[in-house]
Amino acid sequence: MVRLILAEHFPVLVVAVSLISAFTIVVAGRLNKRSCAVIATATILLQLIMASFILHHVLTNGTIQYRLGGWTPPWGIEYVIDALNAYVLIVVLFLGVICVIYSKRSIEHELPHKIVPFYAVYQLLITGLCGITMTGDIFNMYVFVEITSLAAYALIASASGRALKASFVYLVLGSIGACFFLLGIGFLYAVTGSLNMTDLSLLLPPLYGNRAVQAAFVFFAVGLSIKIALFPLHVWQPDAYTYAPSAVTAIIAATMSKVSVYALIRVIYSVFTLDFITNYRYVDVAICWIAAIGIIAGSVLAIMQHNLKRMLAYSSVSQIGYIVLGIGLSPITAWGLLGAIAHISNHAIMKGCLFLAAGAFIYKYDLWDIRDFEGLGKKMPYASAAFTIAAISMIGVPPSAGFATKLFLIFASLQSVEVFAGSAYVFVGVLLLSSLLNLVYFWRVIERMYFVKHDEALNGGERETKKSEIPLSMLVPTLILAALCIVIGILWLTMMPLPFIEDALFELGVEVVP
Amino acid sequence: MVDLMTPLFVILCPALAAPMILLFGKRPNPNIREGWTIAAGIVMFALVLSMVPVILQGEVIRYTFFQTLFEGVAFGFKVDAFGLIFALTSSSLWILVSFYSIGYMRALKEHAQTRYFFSFAVAIVGALGIALSENLLTMFIFYEILTVSTYPLVIHDQTPEALSAGRKYFAYLLTSGVFFLFAVMMTYYLTGTTDFTNGGIPALGSAPRLTLVILFFCFLLGFLKAAWMPFHSWLPTAMVAPTPVSALLHAVAVVKAGVFGIVRIVCYIYGVDLMGAVYVINEHLTLGLALACIAGFTMIVANLFAIAQDNLKRRLAYSTINQLSYIILGAALLTSDGIRGAMMHIPFHGFMKITLFLCAGAIMVVTGKKNISEMAGVGKIMPRTMLAFTITAFGMTGIPPAVGFISKWFLCLGSYQAYQTISPVMITFLFVLLIASLLDVIYFFPILHTAFFKEPEGDSGEEKIKEAPLFMLIPLVITAVFSVIFLLDFILRLNIISMYVYELVEIAVGNVTT
């Protein structure tokens, strides 16, 4: 019993511990630089453990509602954790642990003079991400979005040089996105006088025809679209991902966009609810088409890149399209939302693994350009293998994680035939075409790493290649993610996640799948 | 219906051997690495054999590994007579090809042997998975595994030529996988199941005609592995691979998986009745007839192409394209004898074509000759190899003493049956079969003529007998002997082991026709 009661307090602890730890790192870092990594790792690990208790509690006992300071909801801030929050929280913290372990050596190498600020800001980023995930108050969510964004601007800029410009562009666009989000909140508050999500969802239905409410929805959608880098609004993202330090790119690519997607799902389903969307079918169709165009455009842009990290960044633009397409299809079929939710974790794992591997190539040989990758498969066998597995997963070869998403989304598109008519087949076509485009730009890399021979090897004798792997503390996290690409892929196909899916979809008001 | 775990163990044998092969690599000794290959092959074949008695009693072995999130679709295995025929063919031939590979790779001192044997083991996982799968989704998963795992084999030489062949291989086969995936999901969307059902899925009959036609052609495009024209050109291009790989592609795994899939679609998804009832453009052109036309076209044109080839392996590749269409035609005739011929031709063509390829490889290893025009006098240097080649070349053209005669006999019977029962037009296919066999003679006999009766230019005349290493010679002799035994068995009713094949075919034909 004790454990269960404790678990109800974990939501606030997860955020509080993280925030305190961020300041502790600054203080401890003055005394001993090495302690920073240890404190950060320990904190995030602790958070992860708490998060898994939260998930367990939510699945067995139902939604947790935590009132900060004992204030009752419409006035006080409330944390509401249902299955979806808990799941996103675990994804975020798991990737957080992986990246913080990886960053120890990577940051020593890339930012030797900024170790203390790095870990402090990193911890703030995690705090913000956890906050967005757990809060049930929409203004509180905005605050955490800002904390996260500010931390991200700082982390990206820490690489200096071209990263400064990338960070500045991100700062400008990110602020516009946040402003839109805030405007949306303002409109809703003006109309309803409430900021609590549950409360809003009860107050809004009679006001769905109100122009202010509709405008608020558009502000939310556009603001968050900038944050998640949905296709036409992605311009900040490739530079930011390319020039940030490797560990930073990995954590931002893997978790930040996912949490923003989560925020979008939350706003659509827990604030505006399904009825709102169903009334405006054309909004729904528009979202799907934008996502579909984004999927193709992102892949085509990725094919045009030579810089590996930039290529992966464009690939993210395309993959975000998958998630948004799933969200767009979800008013018609629960499979759409399932695809979106599944892809939140799948893409986090795959893209995390790819960026960690890309970071490994940079760490060891300073390789940025795909054209220089010849023989990498022999020189760094494990990092290359991890990259290959994750790439195959991105292409969607069964039984990988990418395959599961593809399956869900294709079926969701097929089920929307009755509503969307011809467009539904277009979406199926887009999903299938996209996996071929993924093949084009990933296989180019794999072919170079393993199969293309050096010019010297072709002309003369085989050049002696020495194996030289990255340090274990970088290698192990990469390999764990690579293994998960397959394991999670198989898990999504089985019945095992069913209780979680039922819970999550039920809380969002979508009818249950199977 | 018998519940047995044997199918799972069959798949697990090579699946577990593959990581072992990687692990043992070159150290301590390549013999240990090869030991895993051989051990897995033998155990696997024994397990497949152990299922024969059960199936012969008319039972079906089923093993459900797990239920997927898609209701009514399990990831599982179902062994029926037809699946077992393919499983027997590929598992038995795989052992022989593995032995041969060991001899071949060592004789030529090839590089990257560990990668080679690893991919070899994964490829057979794919092939057996396809043979034993219970439904389309399971089949698709193994189908993609087969495609990806054979890629490193095709580009084994890593020359620019091999790499571009590999790109072509992927471009064709993974694109076809996309069509296959669409067709699978569409079938599930239409019927709520993807199980292979004797006589076809009943619910499919109520779908609109146009949908059924499009779906069928998506399935056909999905099984591009069957190399039907005009989408065949990946197969001759893939001939840059080492010879045992060509043998694997042509006889054991890849193309057989393609035709196996087409027969599965015709007999177990659409069903014979539906194939004859759904028309494409007007009442005269049913799906069955359309498929038969594609097959007939391929048979004639592929043979004309074959005549023009000078490279022995390329000529054999076109011969494969032609022979595969015999199988497709047999199924497309929609008569019991046609289907009987098609099912028989899967193992028989496997045994004969593998012998031809192994002979071609042996000639290359011993004399270094790849082109037919250079092969004058080879029959005197390598009498045993060329004897095996001659017997099976006779078989290919439908002349005893090799077994090709029997399957062709049934195919001819099948087309006559179709003429009597379906429409008078079907008699055309009898002539197509005969003309194709005649063309077979035209391109096989010059090879024999050159090898035995032409004097090599500018040579001392005194020829020493020099055969390939035993590792290579024994497998090809075994397959040649078996191609004869199958025939003797059928005609003289000797009741040796191979009699089971005929009984299995009878059961399978009984299952799918009424």
Side-chain angles (χ1 to χ4, degrees), chain A residues 335 398 403 407-408 410-411 414 418 425 428 432 439 443 447 450-453 492-495 498, chain B residues 66-69 115 140-141 144 151 155 157-158 163 167 170 174 178 181-182 185-186 188-189:
Chain A
W335 288 97
F403 173 65
L407 217 53
F408 295 156
I410 289 174
F411 192 56
L414 281 177
E418 280 150 32
Y425 287 111
V428 176
L432 293 172
L439 174 76
W443 207 264
E447 199 182 79
Y450 285 100
F451 305 125
V452 174
K453 284 180 181 166
W492 276 119
L493 286 182
T494 63
M495 299 287 272
L498 196 60
Chain B
F66 59 77
Q67 180 64 40
T68 64
L69 272 180
R115 178 180 83 201
F140 174 76
I141 291 175
E144 292 286 89
Y151 173 84
I155 55 105
D157 286 344
Q158 294 180 228
L163 285 178
R167 264 179 237 134
F170 253 2
L174 283 179
V178 158
L181 178 59
F182 170 73
M185 295 314 286
M186 197 67 196
Y188 179 64
Y189 172 66

Side-chain angles (χ1 to χ4, degrees), chain A residues 251-373:
Chain A
I251 186 78
I252 289 182
T255 61
M256 246 186 86
S257 53
K258 303 303 163 305
V259 171
S260 306
V261 164
Y262 157 79
L264 187 63
I265 293 179
R266 221 8 118 192
V267 167
I268 292 179
Y269 286 95
S270 296
V271 176
F272 283 91
T273 72
L274 198 57
D275 295 336
F276 181 78
I277 306 264
T278 337
N279 285 337
Y280 300 98
R281 183 115 290 160
Y282 50 86
V283 175
D284 199 22
V285 179
I287 292 177
C288 288
W289 273 98
I290 292 170
I293 294 168
I295 292 174
I296 298 297
S299 297
V300 171
L301 286 168
I303 291 175
M304 289 154 59
Q305 307 306 319
H306 290 299
N307 181 314
L308 179 62
K309 277 175 89 175
R310 189 175 276 272
M311 182 192 99
L312 293 177
Y314 279 112
S315 151
S316 280
V317 173
S318 154
Q319 298 284 317
I320 286 296
Y322 278 67
I323 304 183
V324 175
L325 178 61
I327 296 176
L329 291 171
S330 52
I332 297 148
T333 158
W335 288 97
L337 195 54
L338 174 58
I341 292 174
H343 208 51
I344 287 179
S345 75
N346 292 354
H347 183 238
I349 292 166
M350 296 188 287
K351 211 23 93 46
C353 181
L354 288 169
F355 271 119
L356 291 188
F361 302 147
I362 292 166
Y363 177 89
K364 204 75 213 181
Y365 293 105
D366 202 24
L367 287 177
W368 295 75
D369 198 307
I370 297 164
R371 288 166 294 192
D372 302 332
F373 276 15

